[in-house]
Amino acid sequence: MAGKKKISSFHVTTIMILSILAVVTIFPFYYVFIVSFSSLEAISSHVPYLFPYVFDPEGYKMVFSEPRFLSSFLNSVFVTVAGTVINMLLSVFGAYALSKKRLAGRKVILSMILFTMLFSGGLIPYYLVVSGLHLSNTIWAMIIPSAINTFYLIIMKNYFSSLSPSLEEAAKIDGANDIQILFRVMLPISLPFIATFVLFYSVERWNEWWNALLFINDSSLQPLQIYMRNLLVNYNNQMSQQAMLILGDKRSANFQAVQMASIVVSTVPILCIYPFVQRHFVKGVMVGSVKE
């Protein structure tokens, strides 16, 4: 019988430190969730509020009954879906083209792209350009100005450059052109890599608020993040006046519960993407490719 493996003090210390970090990381999410179902009385009588003493869904009822929440939620869904599609199309096309050394002016184009990573015109020129394109107060102001992330484009370009030239040569022998090679050869073997950037772009688009704050004045076009920001501002203003928000049926809802419920509802959709993308992170990016 083999002897038991000895656990060193280093492993014990590492496990303890990682456990503490896990608790510190998870606790804010746990607190937001339990407070979203709390009542003002429960929070006032239990300080700190560490356990779900009551189950009060009034916060969620108010969130879903607010017309601006639904419109802002749908706006964020549209920005996330349309924006991610545009991001991926332009990034993949640009990266694949720049990965080809035969591209005329390739070094100049790469230098210009890298320049934008180091320098920018500033906020005022950026605002004037977007306004000059007549994108102000349109939902496209949250999509078009950030159509490509330069850092992601460079990573994709380096990835396509690392793929075996035999893949392209074999496809050309079969009569495929560059577009067919990209969609029928390169992308199918790059699904784990592509899925990772779909997730990155989706999270960025879902959390979009800066362009909306600058260019969107119409409340019907504002995304969910701006709605949540306004909710936080209103909460801070009302805390000095009242601790409760009176609903139409004369019942009261803890405004902090409304605030936390909005956070939960806005977080769940983007979390639903992770189970479909996470499995690709552990796969090799060259599955099914030609091996030299």
Side-chain angles (χ1 to χ4, degrees):
M1 181 176 179
K4 294 183 179 179
K5 186 177 180 180
K6 184 178 179 180
I7 300 177
S8 64
S9 58
F10 173 77
H11 290 102
V12 175
T13 304
T14 302
I15 293 174
M16 292 178 61
I17 293 176
L18 293 178
S19 299
I20 294 173
L21 292 176
V23 172
V24 171
T25 303
I26 295 174
F27 178 76
F29 298 96
Y30 167 77
Y31 181 78
V32 167
F33 182 76
I34 62 173
V35 171
S36 67
F37 287 101
S38 67
S39 64
L40 182 63
E41 293 78 8
I43 294 179
S44 301
S45 58
H46 300 87
V47 179
Y49 192 79
L50 299 178
F51 302 98
Y53 297 97
V54 298
F55 181 81
D56 188 357
E58 290 299 325
Y60 288 91
K61 291 180 180 179
M62 180 180 176
V63 167
F64 289 120
S65 63
E66 173 60 45
R68 288 189 299 117
F69 176 84
L70 179 59
S71 62
S72 61
F73 181 86
L74 295 177
N75 289 336
S76 288
V77 170
F78 177 81
V79 170
T80 301
V81 175
T84 301
V85 171
I86 293 175
N87 282 142
M88 292 305 301
L89 286 176
L90 295 180
S91 297
V92 169
F93 287 163
Y96 183 69
L98 291 171
S99 68
K100 304 305 175 185
K101 295 182 179 180
R102 65 179 184 272
L103 177 67
R106 175 174 175 268
K107 292 185 178 180
V108 175
I109 297 174
L110 282 174
S111 299
M112 295 174 64
I113 292 174
L114 290 173
F115 183 85
T116 64
M117 295 181 62
L118 303 175
F119 304 98
S120 66
L123 180 59
I124 295 178
Y126 176 68
Y127 181 86
L128 293 177
V129 169
V130 176
S131 299
L133 295 174
H134 305 289
L135 295 176
S136 296
N137 221 30
T138 67
I139 201 167
W140 297 105
M142 295 179 282
I143 298 177
I144 301 300
S146 54
I148 294 181
N149 185 303
T150 307
F151 181 68
Y152 295 165
L153 176 66
I154 298 299
I155 295 178
M156 289 184 182
K157 173 261 176 188
N158 292 336
Y159 168 79
F160 285 125
S161 298
S162 68
L163 295 179
S164 174
S166 300
L167 296 170
E168 184 176 354
E169 294 172 1
K172 285 185 175 180
I173 292 175
D174 292 335
N177 56 37
D178 288 330
I179 299 298
Q180 291 173 328
I181 293 174
L182 175 61
F183 283 97
R184 296 186 179 182
V185 179
M186 299 302 179
L187 292 184
I189 68 172
S190 307
L191 288 181
F193 179 81
I194 296 300
T196 301
F197 284 94
V198 168
L199 178 62
F200 290 165
Y201 272 129
S202 298
V203 173
E204 287 184 2
R205 290 303 192 174
W206 183 259
N207 292 327
E208 171 61 45
W209 67 275
W210 176 241
N211 286 338
L213 184 65
L214 289 178
F215 303 111
I216 305 297
N217 296 321
D218 188 353
S219 60
S220 63
L221 297 177
Q222 291 178 343
L224 187 60
Q225 306 305 326
I226 295 296
Y227 169 81
M228 289 177 54
R229 173 184 175 275
N230 294 336
L231 193 65
L232 291 173
V233 172
N234 293 336
Y235 171 67
N236 291 331
N237 292 336
Q238 293 191 24
M239 280 294 292
S240 61
Q241 302 174 5
Q242 55 183 7
M244 309 177 77
L245 184 67
I246 307 302
L247 301 178
D249 57 0
K250 303 305 180 182
R251 291 177 300 170
S252 60
N254 178 17
F255 204 90
Q256 189 174 6
V258 177
Q259 174 190 1
M260 298 303 179
S262 299
I263 296 175
V264 172
V265 173
S266 64
T267 305
V268 169
I270 201 65
L271 288 179
C272 294
I273 299 178
Y274 277 85
F276 300 99
V277 181
Q278 182 67 31
R279 60 190 180 91
H280 292 294
F281 291 167
V282 296
K283 293 182 178 180
V285 296
M286 292 292 290
V287 174
S289 63
V290 174
K291 291 181 171 54
E292 299 282 0

